[in-house]
């Protein structure tokens, strides 16, 4: 499984986290090979279950986002000039949470790679305008928080 595919599964997990109270069970489900049986027809993303390295990445990042949720959401609110948090699409929020977590807590992921992947994932699920919005927030985040 490629890193971008694993990252997209993390985004799905983080998105779903907003609707469930048990993150540990959700993560266990998302790395269980049985979860992927029959889902290939729904989305090619689910064609292969995560291997050991990808499963560990999914677990680590999803848990990390869960642990730092308030911090990450604070950054999104701060850099979403003129937008209330509640108006931002849940997919865009999930993508930005994952990207910001990687930038802040995963030194093995270059910032540019995290942002590029985030924009590509948003393009898959949202409009070009949303992708540009996410790119702008992430760019502002990098400049102002890490600059």
């Amino acid at each position: 499984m490629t890193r971008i595919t694993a990252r997209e599964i993390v985004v799905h997990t983080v998105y779903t986290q907003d609707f469930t109270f048990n993150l540990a069970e959700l993560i266990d489900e998302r790395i269980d090979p049985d979860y992927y049986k029959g889902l290939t027809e729904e989305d090619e993303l689910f064609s292969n279950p995560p291997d050991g390295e990808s499963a560990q990445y999914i677990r680590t990042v999803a848990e990390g986002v869960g642990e730092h949720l308030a911090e990450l959401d604070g950054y999104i609110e701060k850099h979403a000039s003129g937008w209330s948090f509640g108006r931002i699409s849940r997919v865009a929020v999930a993508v930005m949470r994952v990207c910001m977590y990687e930038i802040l807590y995963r030194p093995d992921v270059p910032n540019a790679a995290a942002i590029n992947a985030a924009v590509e994932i948003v393009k898959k699920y949202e409009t070009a305008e949303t992708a540009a919005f996410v790119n702008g927030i992430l760019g502002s985040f990098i400049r102002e928080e890490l600059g």
Side-chain angles (χ1 to χ4, degrees):
M1 173 176 288
T2 64
R3 176 60 65 96
I4 188 75
T5 300
R7 192 177 275 120
E8 191 170 346
I9 291 170
V10 173
V11 168
H12 279 250
T13 304
V14 169
Y15 173 86
T16 305
Q17 176 186 356
D18 282 347
F19 306 104
T20 184
F21 294 106
N22 195 323
L23 179 59
E25 283 182 14
L26 180 61
I27 294 168
D28 287 343
E29 174 188 77
R30 296 300 162 96
I31 62 174
D32 183 350
D34 289 337
Y35 175 75
Y36 293 81
K37 292 179 182 173
L39 289 178
T40 301
E41 293 176 15
E42 279 187 43
D43 191 328
E44 189 177 316
L45 174 68
F46 302 112
S47 61
N48 294 308
D51 57 17
E53 184 178 326
S54 294
Q56 184 58 44
Y57 166 83
I58 291 166
R59 177 178 301 284
T60 301
V61 175
E63 286 174 348
V65 169
E67 291 168 10
H68 296 275
L69 201 59
E71 173 192 12
L72 300 170
D73 288 354
Y75 284 127
I76 293 169
E77 282 187 292
K78 178 179 178 181
H79 296 286
S81 302
W83 283 75
S84 68
F85 189 82
R87 287 189 57 212
I88 303 171
S89 91
R90 304 313 306 157
V91 171
V93 167
V95 169
M96 289 187 286
R97 285 172 174 168
V98 171
C99 182
M100 289 176 175
Y101 174 81
E102 285 186 317
I103 289 168
L104 292 169
Y105 298 103
R106 295 289 306 231
D108 61 315
V109 178
N111 295 348
I115 292 174
N116 183 54
V119 171
E120 290 305 311
I121 292 170
V122 169
K123 284 180 183 177
K124 183 174 177 180
Y125 297 100
E126 295 284 345
T127 64
E129 291 81 17
T130 303
F133 175 72
V134 166
N135 191 43
I137 291 173
L138 295 173
S140 172
F141 167 74
I142 290 285
R143 284 187 305 278
E144 294 180 25
E145 305 300 330
L146 306 177

